[in-house]
Amino acid sequence: MSEILRWLADLVRYFLRTLDWPLLLALSALMGIGLTVLYSAGGDAQGMRLMLAQGARFVVGLAAMWGLSRVTPSRLRAWTPGVFLISLLPLILVLFIGSGKHGNHWIDLKLFYFQPSELMKLSLPMMMAWYLHREPLPPRIRTVLAAGVLIGVPTGLILLQPDFGTGMLVAASGVFALLLAGLPWWWVGVAVGGAAAAAPVAWLWFLRPYQKDRILTFLNPENDPLGTGWNIIQSKIAIGGGGMTGKGWGEGTQSHLNFLPEHTTDFIFAVLSEEFGWLGVALVLALYLFVIGRCLWIAIDARDTYSRLIAGTIGLSFFVYVIVNGGMISGLLPVVGVPMPLLSYGGTSAVSLLAGLGLVMSVRAHRPVHGY
């Protein structure tokens, strides 16, 4: 019996040795909270169905995390160009056969809907790390221009869907890789200045009516409280109604009385705020902060440029997802349809996020003790 137990223990250690346990525990807590809030947000009619469906997606994501954590960074680096090119193909395909509320965002695979842009949240950081690993650092002008093409092609395809929120998040992940590689911050200032100068042109020629409505609503949601301003007004009411300790699980009136739109997806954090109050929000934000900090610590401890850029970029991208969704539901940023990581209902986003964190775990598990 002791030999069997020892064999089982060795088997478990073999399968789990590449996982970063502090990071995994924080992610598990976030997933548990997400399923709990999702069940409440769905209500009696569909809460259990949503929770089981999201739980199945978490299992797929965790399997992807485990698998990627076992692949060495050197092998990931060799696979990167192929992964990036393969990720571009569905971005082109979705423009012709995709579906969505405001454009072509998803491909219907019958069993589930697949969002191709989510793959780019994983493959673009890998490609940027692969390219910058081969170049002298800090990056020179030629390197920055070539990196701009790598960022611009997938971002442009996503904007054509159109999906402004995801496009900006994907672009941000590429910029983070450049910054971690030593790009001076004044480059960012120049880019922001250029974007500001181009804003009038974008408003007149590129932004769609619903995107303009989102910006105008962000500036003054009370201007149309029963129309375009409804979503953000109801979200603010939900957040303020939770107070310090919240109304209690399943007792949120804004979601259960259908005042709060998209309460299982983009605005689920408002449900958490109403039912668990500031204490629940503080706990979730602390878990998010731990995940981000752990990724950055692993990046600092990495022994080569590719590994450092992968871990750091994924950690900073995670930070932006939290900031954008939190700002969106509180009225500090325009509504752009960005989910809250591991809380919002959605399959492709959850799987891609967990897979990305599997890359971070690979960096931690396979780092050499000496040298590069």
Side-chain angles (χ1 to χ4, degrees), residues 316-329:
L316 291 176
S317 298
F318 193 97
F319 170 75
V320 172
Y321 305 155
V322 175
I323 290 296
V324 170
N325 183 273
M328 181 183 78
I329 63 126

Side-chain angles (χ1 to χ4, degrees), residues 34-44 46-48 50-51 249 256:
L35 293 176
T36 301
V37 178
L38 185 61
Y39 180 87
S40 174
D44 295 334
Q46 59 176 350
M48 181 60 71
L50 292 176
M51 186 179 70
W249 183 56
H256 289 281

